[in-house]
Amino acid sequence: MIDLGTDPPPVSDYQVPILRVYTHHFHPDQWDLTTTQIIPFLDGFNHIARISALADVESNLVRACVQNLVYHRVLGLVSIFQYGNVYTVTPELASLRTDKELQKDVLRAAARSQEEPPSFRDLYTFISSFTYG
């Protein structure tokens, strides 16, 4: 039997669920109705309150469902307020051009699906455009 640990903390409306597994691994018959309704809206951008509105599911049900998925390590949670952070590149960005293993890791992390990863050039251009302010 696998020990999954302690109960996850309560989920708030301003938190953004982040998938930790690929959605093509999901089978509708393995989830309850609420989970099946909200899965299409778990895109890493929508916060709990928005998912509730988009899926037409009460927010307390969405929070309970997300808490269950966090417990089973299907999701992680970040605060929506992190989107207000400022990001900028550092000189270490140069290593991304030469380190092939790092390139693979970054492409894998940035891909919305394994079947259609972004091109390295597009991703590098995007990352290098981060500027202060």
Side-chain angles (χ1 to χ4, degrees):
M1 185 184 225
I2 298 173
D3 179 26
L4 293 175
T6 61
D7 290 342
V11 176
S12 301
D13 283 345
Y14 59 82
Q15 290 181 300
V16 179
I18 307 292
L19 283 167
R20 298 175 73 181
V21 297
Y22 293 106
T23 56
H24 67 271
H25 291 158
F26 295 155
H27 301 286
D29 57 337
Q30 80 185 94
W31 303 111
D32 59 65
L33 181 60
T34 303
T35 305
T36 304
Q37 282 183 258
I38 70 167
I39 283 177
F41 305 105
L42 300 176
D43 61 2
F45 296 100
N46 295 326
H47 53 84
I48 299 297
R50 181 160 172 81
I51 292 168
S52 173
L54 292 170
D56 195 26
V57 175
E58 289 188 34
S59 64
N60 62 333
L61 293 175
V62 173
R63 286 193 306 271
C65 180
V66 166
Q67 187 176 26
N68 183 51
L69 292 173
V70 168
Y71 177 80
H72 290 287
R73 298 185 178 140
V74 173
L75 295 176
L77 290 171
V78 297
S79 170
I80 193 169
F81 301 114
Q82 288 183 338
Y83 290 113
N85 292 351
V86 175
Y87 299 94
T88 188
V89 296
T90 64
E92 286 82 19
L93 180 67
S95 65
L96 185 57
R97 288 193 312 255
T98 56
D99 187 339
K100 297 297 181 191
E101 205 54 41
L102 181 58
Q103 288 176 15
K104 288 179 191 175
D105 287 345
V106 170
L107 286 170
R108 191 175 19 249
R112 286 196 139 188
S113 75
Q114 280 185 315
E115 293 80 33
E116 297 180 38
S119 73
F120 176 73
R121 181 174 190 234
D122 289 344
L123 187 58
Y124 188 83
T125 302
F126 173 71
I127 293 171
S128 62
S129 71
F130 292 176
T131 59
Y132 182 77

